[in-house]
Amino acid sequence: MDAQALVLELKKIAGEDAVRSDEPMAAHTTFQIGGPADVFVEPRTEQAVCATFMLCRQADVPVRVLGLGSDLLVADAGLRCVVVRLAENFATIERQGNVLQVQAGASNADVAQVACAAGLAGYEFASGIPGTIGGAAIMNAGAYGGEFKDVAVALRCLTPTGEVVDVSAEEAAWSYRHSMMDAAGYVVLAATLRLTSDNPAVIQERMDDLARRRAEKQPLDMPSAGSTFKRPEGHFVGKLVQEAGLRGVRVGGAQVSEKHTGFLVNAGDATAADVCALIELVQERVYEHTGVQLEPEVRRWGFEDEER
Ligand SMILES: Cc1cc2nc3c(=O)[nH]c(=O)nc-3n(C[C@H](O)[C@H](O)[C@H](O)COP(=O)(O)OP(=O)(O)OC[C@H]3O[C@@H](n4cnc5c(N)ncnc54)[C@H](O)[C@@H]3O)c2cc1C
């Protein structure tokens, strides 16, 4: 199937206005970096999500699923594939007692806010993680002592062979920033979260406190993808980077944050190549200085040496 025919078929599945060509990924990543994706789709229903993936797989066209792009570095040359974005268009949140049924595109902030208004506690930890439920599920997002696995009881997923399956918490095999779904190439469609009853004012106060702590420590006024490196056992990345004398160091428009040295930020017109060069520089200097090998946490799309 040629590119034009693919776009026509995708428009039949997802709707005329839900499919675009040459979509700049800089507009869909919190780093505000990344060249164009050949085809970009934002389906609105589970049926359309599944049909989109199946069409791409049958046509042997590479396809990727995107949430809010808050853990991604996309190459300057862009992506020769179909990007399926599950965010605002696929974001219903339904309450049944202490349980929330949430579509994958709902943002953590919205889920936390709906839970709070309903007097449901347990998702406060994620209120400031700027991604979707799908992104949180795939990598067991966590903050301030809470992790996605603490509240998720089941997921609904699309498998690479086109089956829609229910995945229990046990099957999800969540560990630090990892899950079975990630390893197996599942698309997360929805999650079931079990929360506990509490006073909305008290829940809101906990979220406000976490927001204050984030704003104090993190460079939230600059584009980034959060912590750039995974936390090495027994160390804090920020401290290692600072001790290696790298606070504020720049490569092109990419910079080690002055405020939190575990964050690399886009200090203005950074390219993906700048960020990659800075990642390598930080890895080298930290290794020379401490013997600790830092491993990127941010996922890299469209690079020759991409691992996942
Ligand atoms: C300022 C800032 C602070 C942050 N703080 C934290 C923090 O405290 N804790 C933390 O864990 N993370 C943090 N992050 C990183 C990021 O927000 C999380 O990793 C988040 O879970 C990513 O979700 P996303 O929707 O943005 O995913 P994306 O960045 O869009 O995608 C990331 C990966 O998830 C996959 N994915 C997305 N949606 C789905 C889906 N529906 N099905 C299958 N795969 C999917 C993508 O294919 C990709 O591999 C922070 C980021 C920023 C910018």
Side-chain angles (χ1 to χ4, degrees), residues 28-31 64-72 84 86 90 104-106 108 125 128-144 177 181-182 185-190 214 218-220 222-227 263 297 299 301 308:
H28 301 287
T29 60
T30 54
F31 245 140
R64 293 172 189 266
V65 57
L66 173 72
L68 286 171
S70 62
D71 195 37
L72 288 181
V84 181
L86 300 185
F90 194 64
N108 293 314
F125 78 88
I129 300 178
T132 60
I133 284 288
I138 212 76
M139 67 190 74
N140 187 28
Y144 300 107
R177 304 295 176 264
M181 297 74 65
D182 196 11
Y186 284 24
V187 176
V188 178
L189 299 168
R214 255 185 208 275
Q218 300 183 358
L220 301 182
M222 297 181 89
S224 80
S227 304
F263 280 53
E297 155 115 46
R299 296 175 180 226
W301 281 8
R308 50 187 179 167

Side-chain angles (χ1 to χ4, degrees), residues 112-246:
Q113 209 51 66
V114 167
C116 175
L120 294 177
Y123 211 62
E124 297 92 304
F125 78 88
S127 54
I129 300 178
T132 60
I133 284 288
I138 212 76
M139 67 190 74
N140 187 28
Y144 300 107
E147 286 179 290
F148 189 78
K149 73 177 174 64
D150 300 339
V151 292
V153 290
L155 298 174
R156 193 170 162 81
C157 296
L158 175 68
T159 71
T161 52
E163 274 174 284
V164 174
V165 294
D166 292 321
V167 175
S168 68
E170 196 179 26
E171 288 163 335
W174 280 298
S175 59
Y176 177 68
R177 304 295 176 264
H178 186 71
S179 68
M180 174 281 283
M181 297 74 65
D182 196 11
Y186 284 24
V187 176
V188 178
L189 299 168
T192 306
L193 310 181
R194 190 182 298 282
L195 302 169
T196 51
S197 299
D198 203 348
N199 180 331
V202 175
I203 300 170
Q204 186 63 56
E205 180 44 46
R206 278 197 292 269
M207 292 201 293
D208 292 346
D209 176 50
L210 294 181
R212 272 192 297 273
R213 284 158 69 182
R214 255 185 208 275
E216 242 169 59
K217 292 261 165 62
Q218 300 183 358
L220 301 182
D221 55 338
M222 297 181 89
S224 80
S227 304
T228 312
F229 299 98
K230 290 185 182 157
R231 190 185 59 219
E233 191 95 15
H235 297 277
F236 290 104
V237 174
K239 192 158 178 280
L240 294 172
V241 176
Q242 187 182 326
E243 285 172 2
L246 293 165

